[in-house]
Amino acid sequence: MAPFFKYGFFTEQTGLIIALILGVSFGFWLERAGFGYSRKLALQFYFKDMTVLNVMFTAIVVAMLGLLLFSLFGWLDITKVYINPTYLWAQLIGGLILGVGFAIGGYCPGTSVVGAVTGHVDAYFFLGGAMFGMFVFGEMFPSLEGLYNWGAMGDVRLSDVFNVSSGVVALAVVILAILFFLGGEWLENKFGKEGV
Amino acid sequence: MKEKPYWSPYASGLGLGITLLLAFVLMGRGLGASGAMMRFTTALVDLFAHDHVMANPYFAKYAENPFSNWLVYEILGVMIGGFLSGMLAGRNKWRTGRGPNIGKHKRWLYAFIGGAIMGFGARLSRGCTSGLALTGGATLAVGGWVFMFAVFAAAYATAYFVRKQWI
């Protein structure tokens, strides 16, 4: 039964090799989508190229439905799949800060790695900046600890806070994704789609 | 070789989604990126100031065997996969991503500043677009969705002020 690693199908060493292989696939698809190129990512924020939103929501819907179906068929124990713990205010504020950095820097951490290996010089400056920002966070950590833990809610899912079943949340996510796809296409046409 | 066009966002999204699903099924965990960067940062600081790293609880957490880690191997894979895809499409060449109205040196400065802001934000939120928005989004984690909407809201609000960089 899945997740295989949690049921002892293979060792931690094998897990690292799987990490490498999954990483190859992750990097490949990011590059295929055009995410190694900062301007393509940033044009999202001017409604001229909605690729970021389309790729992210397609990926979320595919992985989410896969998890739910496998768990429904009894192939996967969902309680053994890692869920990001929620720290509501820390993640809201951190997200706002990260978003500002996204519009200015043009990359996010994963895409900047793809940008760097495909020869984008700005990605190297971004990576240097990101490591500097993380260093500053680490240095300031003792005084940031309260903020870092603000809004701790544990491993909560949307279905817990809205008190509905996972299936209902999944349906809402699928509808939201379709609305984003259609809305994105409309916005691209309105704001002048740019083929990059 | 002439550069080939990017693939459809839906095809790429499907590929990414299946990769993420495989990570859940095989390992019981999702993908990520900023965690690996934190480890590289810590290792670098550790080279110059070991006692300082050990005295700081946040750095110390990442300092023990910094590279024998799932996310570090995954990011090494991302480098290989990104390079291969770029090579197959004839896209691997030196250049700077920027709009028509900004010079490359200014763009490098903005890239560093934006990166620094993002690095700080990613540590505060315990994840970035891959580790929190994508992985948390697919597992329907509350924090993942709050984070994702915060990222896009702030990026759209900031875009106007940096438009000379991109359009």
Side-chain angles (χ1 to χ4, degrees), chain A residues 34-46 49 52 97-116 120-127 129-130, chain B residues 96-99 102 106-119 129 151-152 155 158-159 162-163 165-166:
Chain A
F35 288 1
Y37 178 29
S38 52
R39 184 160 182 260
K40 185 169 177 70
L41 293 160
L43 283 178
Q44 161 83 36
F45 305 126
Y46 303 92
D49 186 327
V52 174
I97 295 173
L98 194 142
V100 172
F102 202 165
I104 299 174
Y107 283 111
C108 56
T111 54
S112 72
V113 172
V114 176
H120 294 81
V121 182
D122 50 331
Y124 288 90
F125 284 89
F126 181 94
L127 275 166
Chain B
T96 291
R98 60 189 163 112
I102 189 171
K106 240 181 168 169
R107 167 68 195 121
W108 292 349
L109 178 67
Y110 277 113
F112 185 88
I113 295 169
I117 296 170
M118 178 167 293
T129 340
V151 169
F152 280 99
T158 310
V162 291
R163 62 192 183 282
Q165 219 191 160
W166 304 116

Side-chain angles (χ1 to χ4, degrees), chain B residues 32-122:
Chain B
S34 56
M37 275 177 206
M38 188 63 212
R39 285 173 183 275
F40 287 114
T41 307
T42 307
L44 201 63
V45 181
D46 200 17
L47 273 181
F48 299 104
H50 178 70
D51 296 339
H52 180 68
V53 164
M54 288 307 157
N56 178 315
Y58 194 73
F59 284 133
K61 194 167 64 168
Y62 294 101
E64 207 182 319
N65 288 326
F67 301 128
S68 175
N69 169 267
W70 205 84
L71 280 178
V72 170
Y73 277 75
E74 186 228 84
I75 280 295
L76 290 177
V78 169
M79 290 178 189
I80 299 167
F83 181 83
L84 281 178
S85 168
M87 193 179 69
L88 292 172
R91 283 194 281 265
N92 288 355
K93 57 182 170 209
W94 295 106
R95 63 187 130 178
T96 291
R98 60 189 163 112
N101 298 312
I102 189 171
K104 64 181 178 187
H105 295 112
K106 240 181 168 169
R107 167 68 195 121
W108 292 349
L109 178 67
Y110 277 113
F112 185 88
I113 295 169
I117 296 170
M118 178 167 293
F120 186 94

Side-chain angles (χ1 to χ4, degrees), chain A residues 27-191:
Chain A
F28 179 88
W29 290 111
L30 286 177
E31 207 288 329
R32 286 284 118 171
F35 288 1
Y37 178 29
S38 52
R39 184 160 182 260
K40 185 169 177 70
L41 293 160
L43 283 178
Q44 161 83 36
F45 305 126
Y46 303 92
F47 302 113
K48 286 173 177 296
D49 186 327
M50 303 304 279
T51 305
V52 174
L53 207 67
N54 292 344
V55 170
M56 268 194 83
F57 270 84
T58 307
I60 286 176
V61 164
V62 168
M64 173 192 75
L65 292 181
L67 272 183
L68 284 178
L69 286 177
F70 291 168
S71 146
L72 196 69
F73 298 155
W75 298 344
L76 175 136
D77 180 356
I78 198 128
T79 62
K80 286 197 162 57
V81 173
Y82 173 83
I83 170 163
N84 303 74
T86 294
Y87 291 82
L88 192 65
W89 299 108
Q91 283 161 338
L92 179 72
I93 296 165
L96 291 173
I97 295 173
L98 194 142
V100 172
F102 202 165
I104 299 174
Y107 283 111
C108 56
T111 54
S112 72
V113 172
V114 176
V117 295
T118 50
H120 294 81
V121 182
D122 50 331
Y124 288 90
F125 284 89
F126 181 94
L127 275 166
M131 288 177 71
F132 177 71
M134 290 183 183
F135 169 70
V136 171
F137 181 83
E139 287 297 313
M140 289 173 68
F141 184 73
S143 55
L144 289 171
E145 210 168 349
L147 179 62
Y148 184 69
N149 292 316
W150 193 18
M153 292 167 68
D155 298 346
V156 283
R157 290 172 203 272
L158 293 172
S159 49
D160 301 322
V161 283
F162 292 115
N163 207 13
V164 290
S165 76
S166 304
V168 173
V169 179
L171 181 68
V173 170
V174 172
I175 293 170
L176 187 71
I178 293 171
L179 288 177
F180 277 157
F181 297 155
L182 296 174
E185 210 161 293
W186 182 77
L187 285 165
E188 277 179 347
N189 289 327
K190 193 168 149 65
F191 285 85

Side-chain angles (χ1 to χ4, degrees), chain A residues 3-6 10 18-19 22-23 63 67 76 81-82, chain B residues 16-32 70 74 135:
Chain A
F4 298 133
F5 176 65
K6 304 276 165 139
F10 45 78
I18 291 173
L22 288 172
L67 272 183
L76 175 136
V81 173
Y82 173 83
Chain B
L16 268 188
I18 292 173
T19 309
L20 180 59
L21 183 59
L22 275 173
F24 289 137
V25 169
L26 294 171
M27 298 302 299
R29 60 175 300 166
L31 303 166
W70 205 84
E74 186 228 84
T135 301

